[in-house]
Amino acid sequence: EVQLVESGGGLVQPGRSLRLSCTASGFTFDDYAMHWVRQAPGKGLEWVSGISWNSGTIGYADSVKGRFTISRDNAKNSLYLQMNSLRAEDMALYYCAKGASGSYYYYFDNWGQGTLVTVSS
Amino acid sequence: EIVLTQSPGTLSLSPGERATLSCRASQSVSSSYLAWYRQKPGQAPRLLIYGASSRATGIPDSFSGSGSGTDFTLTISRLEPEDFAVYYCHQYGSSPHTFGQGTKLEIK
């Protein structure tokens, strides 16, 4: 059974940094692309960033480009999101999502339960 | 960036009825790389349809997807109580990935 467990969320002041992690199990992690998707309270889904199986293709939403960095450690079955210069509008539930193939250009067939990021002074 | 516009914003129907949800793209979606997800309150989204018309594992045949280019449709032929939720379309053929704003399917 595929499991994706996010961690690292919490309360952070505007302008500070936070690093999210997603630990995967139940599948061969290094065969699949991975993504971060967020959902602000009461709002819709917003794709944040994605990374192909070998980190060869990486993309970001314009809203986070230059501030967030996605990475993965295939030896540790883990996905990361380094978030710098956080803003109030970054406050959301952050989901880790598994791509259905190693390609960055694929749909998401499994999702974690999310980790909540709160940005407030 | 491809902008996806879903309509209607809210759809009020009764169990047993047929639901038709629309997703329109601001430019052609490459290779029909269009997916649909359902999100129930307090839960993560679940994949329903990929490639515009292929059902995901475990999804009943009451769900069907159609369309190409810029116009896509999700149809639920006979609504069950668990189908009342929010539905999102997602294009994954070009970067950045984008989602529609969602359609809320509510019980009439």
Side-chain angles (χ1 to χ4, degrees):
Chain A
E1 178 193 5
V2 171
Q3 287 203 331
L4 301 169
V5 180
E6 302 92 338
S7 60
L11 174 62
V12 62
Q13 293 179 327
R16 302 299 290 265
S17 298
L18 207 58
R19 187 194 196 207
L20 304 184
S21 299
C22 171
T23 302
S25 61
F27 64 101
T28 305
F29 183 74
D30 53 12
D31 279 349
Y32 295 93
M34 298 295 296
H35 298 261
W36 290 100
V37 177
R38 68 185 180 184
Q39 188 168 35
K43 302 297 184 182
L45 302 174
E46 180 187 14
W47 177 82
V48 174
S49 183
I51 185 168
S52 63
W53 68 279
N54 64 351
S55 304
T57 303
I58 287 175
Y60 298 96
D62 286 346
S63 58
V64 307
K65 201 172 294 183
R67 299 188 298 123
F68 289 12
T69 301
I70 192 171
S71 62
R72 63 189 296 161
D73 185 337
N74 287 345
K76 294 183 177 180
N77 288 355
S78 293
L79 174 73
Y80 305 102
L81 187 67
Q82 177 67 42
M83 304 187 296
N84 298 333
S85 304
L86 282 161
R87 305 168 179 167
E89 55 265 35
D90 296 319
M91 185 162 65
L93 184 65
Y94 283 73
Y95 291 105
C96 168
K98 172 184 168 290
S101 87
S103 170
Y104 168 94
Y105 296 100
Y106 244 76
Y107 53 93
F108 311 151
D109 60 359
N110 285 276
W111 299 64
Q113 289 304 306
T115 186
L116 184 63
V117 173
T118 302
V119 183
S120 176
S121 54
Chain B
E1 171 178 324
I2 296 179
V3 176
L4 299 179
T5 302
Q6 293 185 239
S7 61
T10 302
L11 186 57
S12 300
L13 294 170
S14 300
E17 289 194 296
R18 179 186 186 91
T20 303
L21 287 66
S22 174
C23 176
R24 178 162 290 177
S26 60
Q27 53 190 283
S28 185
V29 175
S30 174
S31 303
S32 293
Y33 279 4
L34 194 286
W36 290 92
Y37 304 85
R38 176 179 66 191
Q39 187 178 34
K40 299 178 184 178
Q43 295 187 16
R46 179 182 180 181
L47 176 68
L48 301 172
I49 299 287
Y50 62 92
S53 61
S54 298
R55 273 189 303 277
T57 302
I59 301 303
D61 58 9
S62 57
F63 286 83
S64 62
S66 63
S68 63
T70 60
D71 288 298
F72 299 88
T73 300
L74 174 70
T75 301
I76 310 171
S77 60
R78 186 178 175 83
L79 287 167
E80 301 288 344
E82 61 267 26
D83 297 332
F84 293 92
V86 180
Y87 291 79
Y88 295 94
C89 56
H90 160 219
Q91 72 79 23
Y92 50 94
S94 64
S95 191
H97 287 239
T98 49
F99 287 92
Q101 83 280 16
T103 289
K104 182 179 181 181
L105 182 52
E106 66 176 22
I107 298 177
K108 187 174 182 180

